[in-house]
Amino acid sequence: MIRFKTSLLFSIFLFITFHISFAQGRFENLKINWPAEYKWKVGSNQNTAQAQMLELIPGNENINNWSIIGTMVCMKGVRTVPVASFMRTTYTKLKTSAPNATLRVIEDGSKARTPYIIFKIESPAFLNSKTPESQLYYVIQGSQSLFNNFVAVKQAYLGPLFVEKWVKVFKGSQFVYK
């Protein structure tokens, strides 16, 4: 049961909000409408000065035994890492524990006004576990922080309907400023 983590975030019900301070005292939030069908609950929530990570699991599951997990990570103050570089680093690190993992870019918006990238990593097994796990990532650069969101399932591959559904969820997110 290996999950590749980066760093932290929180908020439930139909959406989740990130709170990061601007130098001017404003907050940048990334709001994602997580599908209600899973009745999400917080599995873990970690927060430091540099990052915040929130893991969401279905309401009837626990953090050590889940069928699907949503992870929101905010890297506070990170503004200079290209989203494609973040993707390559994520994949390279995962390959050390899942050498047969594959990477596929779903959508590259690295040249957009708000750079983002959507990609999937499919891992049929890990060095220390035969349990497969695959993730669909949505990485987007905010004005003050880098946001890394992904959904993971214990499957060797992500089907096209799964990918289509979650791409819509992630692309439906929006920045909110307070």
Side-chain angles (χ1 to χ4, degrees), residues 83-135:
V83 293
S85 294
F86 182 87
M87 175 193 68
R88 285 189 297 276
T89 300
T90 300
Y91 179 60
T92 300
K93 286 181 181 179
L94 185 62
K95 287 281 283 184
T96 63
S97 61
N100 294 323
T102 59
L103 168 69
R104 180 167 172 241
V105 175
I106 306 298
E107 193 169 322
D108 185 350
S110 57
K111 300 215 184 293
R113 183 179 59 81
T114 304
Y116 71 93
I117 195 161
I118 300 171
F119 61 97
K120 67 179 180 176
I121 299 177
E122 297 170 318
S123 308
F126 293 83
L127 293 176
N128 65 350
S129 172
K130 297 210 183 294
T131 303
E133 184 180 315
S134 298
Q135 305 94 14

Side-chain angles (χ1 to χ4, degrees), residues 23 66 75:
W66 48 267
M75 293 176 231

Side-chain angles (χ1 to χ4, degrees), residues 8-170:
L8 341 159
L9 180 43
F10 173 80
S11 200
I12 252 183
F13 192 56
L14 291 179
F15 61 90
I16 298 204
T17 309
F18 280 116
H19 295 284
I20 299 112
S21 296
F22 280 116
Q24 300 85 11
R26 290 182 11 159
F27 294 98
E28 178 179 50
N29 307 299
L30 182 66
K31 185 173 89 171
I32 297 176
N33 292 323
W34 291 85
E37 68 202 65
Y38 298 100
K39 299 179 179 153
W40 300 100
K41 69 179 181 183
V42 175
S44 74
N45 185 11
Q46 304 167 33
N47 194 9
T48 68
Q50 295 81 28
Q52 183 176 8
M53 180 177 75
L54 175 73
E55 293 177 304
L56 301 172
I57 54 175
N60 61 347
E61 298 179 3
N62 66 62
I63 195 66
N64 296 316
N65 189 18
W66 48 267
S67 60
I68 186 168
I69 189 166
T71 303
M72 300 179 75
V73 178
C74 172
M75 293 176 231
K76 301 172 184 178
V78 174
R79 296 184 297 260
T80 59
V81 177
V83 293
S85 294
F86 182 87
M87 175 193 68
R88 285 189 297 276
T89 300
T90 300
Y91 179 60
T92 300
K93 286 181 181 179
L94 185 62
K95 287 281 283 184
T96 63
S97 61
N100 294 323
T102 59
L103 168 69
R104 180 167 172 241
V105 175
I106 306 298
E107 193 169 322
D108 185 350
S110 57
K111 300 215 184 293
R113 183 179 59 81
T114 304
Y116 71 93
I117 195 161
I118 300 171
F119 61 97
K120 67 179 180 176
I121 299 177
E122 297 170 318
S123 308
F126 293 83
L127 293 176
N128 65 350
S129 172
K130 297 210 183 294
T131 303
E133 184 180 315
S134 298
Q135 305 94 14
L136 181 71
Y137 287 83
Y138 175 61
V139 180
I140 186 165
Q141 179 63 63
S143 60
Q144 293 294 310
S145 300
L146 184 67
F147 297 87
N148 171 26
N149 307 279
F150 64 92
V151 61
V153 291
K154 294 177 184 178
Q155 298 173 7
Y157 304 99
L158 301 176
L161 294 177
F162 181 93
V163 171
E164 181 181 337
K165 172 184 178 170
W166 285 97
V167 165
K168 285 180 185 174
V169 168
F170 289 140

